[in-house]
Structure formats: C-alpha cells, structure tokens
Amino acid sequence: GNPLISMTNRYCVFGNPIGDSKSPAIHTRFAQQTGEEIVYEARLAPIDGFAAAVRDFIALGGRGANVTVPFKEEAFRLCDRHTPRALQAGAVNTLIFAGDGITGDNTDGAGLVQDLNTNLGTVIAGRRVLLLGAGGAARGALGPLLAEKPALLVVANRTAAKAEALAEHFAADGPVDGCGFTALAGRHFDLVINATSASLGGEVLPLPAGCYAPGALAYDMMYGKGDTAFLAAARAAGVTRLADGLGMLVEQAAEAFFVWRGVRPVTQPVLEALRQP
Ligand code: NDP
C-alpha cells in the first residue's frame, strides 16, 4: 500500500447511525491544539458487521477507535483485554489497537465526572445523587460516580428490577440503592442525572414532584438544540441549574485522546466552539 497512508495515525468512531457524530470535529480540534498528527473519521458499521468493520479498519492501519450506539457491548466482547473501568462498566467506548491485540477501555463515566466537577463546578462528595436509567450509560457512570463519595446514590429505572440488579452489582463500591420511579416519592436529591434514552423520543419521565432539592442540578446525558425533554420538564418544575451531555461528550473524547496519545487536550475552547449555533 501507500507508505504515507500506512504511516498516518488513523482513528475513527464506529456507530449506526453515525452521520451526526460530533466526534470527528472534537478529535480534529484536539489534534490541532496539541500538534498530534492524527486523522479521525466517522465510520458506519453495519448492524450485523461490527467485528468485520473493526478488522477492516485495523488492516487500513487504524490505531484506535471510539464506539457508540449500538455497539458498546459487542465491543466489550470483541476485546482481548479490558481496563478495570471497562470491566466495571461491562461496555467499551474506546478501543486501542496494538500488535498483540485489542484493548477495551471506557471513558464515559470519567467524562461525566470530569464535566460535573470541572466544567459545572458541582461537588458530588456528600451529595444525594439520583441516576435515572439502568442501561449502558448508567452502568458506565456508576463506578466513577461512587468513587466521588456521594452521601447516597439511587438508581431509578422504568424496569425497576434492572435498577435493583445494578445497585446490587455495585454494592461494594458505595451507598447505592435501586428502585422504580414511584418509589422516589417524598425523596429529594441534589443532583439528578438522566441516563435514559427517553429524551430521544421527546418523552418525559414520570418523576414525582419535589425530587429536586433546592439548588439541585438537572443533568441530561443527551444533548441537542435547546432543552431536551428532560431538561424542559426540570425547568418547568422550577430547577434553575441545568446541563446537557455535550460537556460529557467532549470530556469522554479528551480522556480517549489521552489514552491513545498520552497528551491531555484542553477541553474548554472545544466545548465553546461546539456550543456556537
Ligand atoms: P440503553 O438503551 O442501554 O438504555 C436505555 C435506558 O433508558 C434504559 O434504562 C431504559 O429503561 C430507559 N428508557 C428508554 N426509553 C424510556 C422511556 N420512554 N421512559 C423511561 N425510560 C426509558 O441506552 P444507553 O444507556 O446506552 O444510553 C442512554 C442515553 O445516554 C442515550 O440518550 C445516549 O445518547 C446518552 N449517552 C450520552 C453520552 C454522552 O457522552 N453525552 C454517552 C453515553 C450515552 P428500561 O430498562 O425500562 O428499558
């Protein structure tokens, strides 16, 4: 092949769909800022062809990849080895390709905590945290959130049994409980994180009135133009501190860039550029 192409440090994000991904723009800005010579593209993987798409990309000289919906669990199974945080999450959003196989990492939870701590100035330690959802995103967030030592962490999910199982799985890592939405009545939280995909369909979660303590932050992992359905409902309930998941997206990307390149990009200007209409 072309020696120039094979010498390029190639990275990509795999997903389906992938057309709207902001990851190429984020990593290209990181590369410009740090002087790292990488090329990063979005690659559509067929729903039944993820493993083949990864193999093709490795054959093209790929050094690493991000993985998004719906392949994070399949990516976990594909890896030859995992970092501790990927093992804890049971899902992989970052692949590292080396001569001796594929390593899987998960930077989503670290990205969430970094966004909360640094970009939003939110202290998690000692606070009451409500995590909504029990899918891959919630699972990835639990370990890093508990490591921040909240006073308590409640996982609530439409299918209560999934939240209970998740809480049980993480019981050794901190004070965590699982339940359905109705069991939240009469409870108050300082930080409410939406890790469900309900906002995707514009659906509002049946949260009891008063679950937001005074001064609480409502955080949606989803993002888009204007308020998501979850944030609009929180605003209508009187919540004034609101954040969407764009900061998390940029921070998980920065963590992946660091894993691959050993250089930590500055995220603030990249986040600001993405927020421009
Ligand atoms: P999963 O499909 O694994 O999980 C979906 C979760 O949402 C389940 O808990 C499910 O509940 C719940 N849910 C779906 N629809 C509804 C509804 N109508 N009402 C109530 N609950 C509902 O998805 P992920 O965990 O992978 O992703 C969740 C969200 O997080 C997505 O919107 C994704 O875009 C976002 N995300 C953002 C990231 C970022 O960087 N900003 C990173 C990762 C994810 P049940 O178990 O009852 O079916």
Side-chain angles (χ1 to χ4, degrees):
N2 182 334
L4 280 177
I5 288 177
S6 63
M7 278 168 64
T8 306
N9 295 307
R10 295 187 66 169
Y11 297 87
C12 74
V13 56
F14 290 108
N16 190 325
I18 198 64
D20 290 334
S21 174
K22 295 183 191 295
S23 291
I26 293 170
H27 281 279
T28 300
R29 283 177 189 272
F30 287 167
Q32 284 161 353
Q33 181 200 102
T34 59
E36 292 291 303
E37 291 191 9
I38 72 156
V39 173
Y40 188 109
E41 64 195 302
R43 291 179 81 90
L44 178 73
I47 292 295
D48 60 353
F50 173 69
V54 170
R55 277 195 301 272
D56 288 350
F57 187 61
I58 292 173
L60 286 171
R63 302 279 303 269
N66 285 129
V67 181
T68 187
V69 179
F71 299 123
K72 289 184 189 183
E73 272 140 39
E74 190 174 350
F76 182 89
R77 294 192 296 271
L78 189 74
C79 290
D80 301 298
R81 64 187 84 78
H82 304 87
T83 62
R85 60 189 179 182
L87 278 178
Q88 197 181 37
V92 156
N93 81 329
T94 302
L95 299 169
I96 304 124
F97 307 134
D100 55 348
I102 304 175
T103 300
D105 196 358
N106 192 312
T107 66
D108 279 336
L112 169 68
V113 168
Q114 180 72 13
D115 189 38
L116 287 167
N117 282 342
T118 307
N119 300 331
L120 299 167
T122 298
V123 178
I124 299 166
R127 302 294 159 85
R128 298 160 294 181
V129 179
L130 173 58
L131 181 63
L132 303 166
R139 204 183 161 91
L142 261 169
L145 282 173
L146 287 170
E148 295 292 304
K149 307 248 174 278
L152 70 96
L153 198 162
V154 174
V155 186
N157 193 47
R158 177 174 63 183
T159 311
K162 274 174 68 181
E164 287 159 12
L166 207 51
E168 204 154 299
H169 183 81
F170 282 89
D173 299 305
V176 56
D177 272 319
C179 62
F181 295 131
T182 49
L184 297 171
R187 306 192 70 173
H188 314 289
F189 298 91
D190 307 300
L191 171 58
V192 180
I193 301 168
N194 180 26
T196 75
S197 48
S199 288
L200 275 177
E203 255 183 88
V204 173
L205 299 171
L207 295 183
C211 79
Y212 291 98
L217 172 69
Y219 188 104
D220 198 345
M221 288 193 187
M222 260 210 41
Y223 50 83
K225 273 204 177 70
D227 282 348
T228 63
F230 171 76
L231 292 178
R235 199 186 288 279
V239 178
T240 55
R241 295 185 62 217
L242 306 141
D244 70 12
L246 197 59
M248 175 178 176
L249 180 76
V250 173
E251 297 300 342
Q252 65 75 28
E255 186 71 18
F257 193 91
F258 176 70
V259 165
W260 292 324
R261 311 300 304 168
V263 185
R264 205 171 275 287
V266 179
T267 51
Q268 204 72 45
V270 177
L271 188 50
E272 273 164 29
L274 287 180
R275 291 239 187 256
Q276 300 303 315

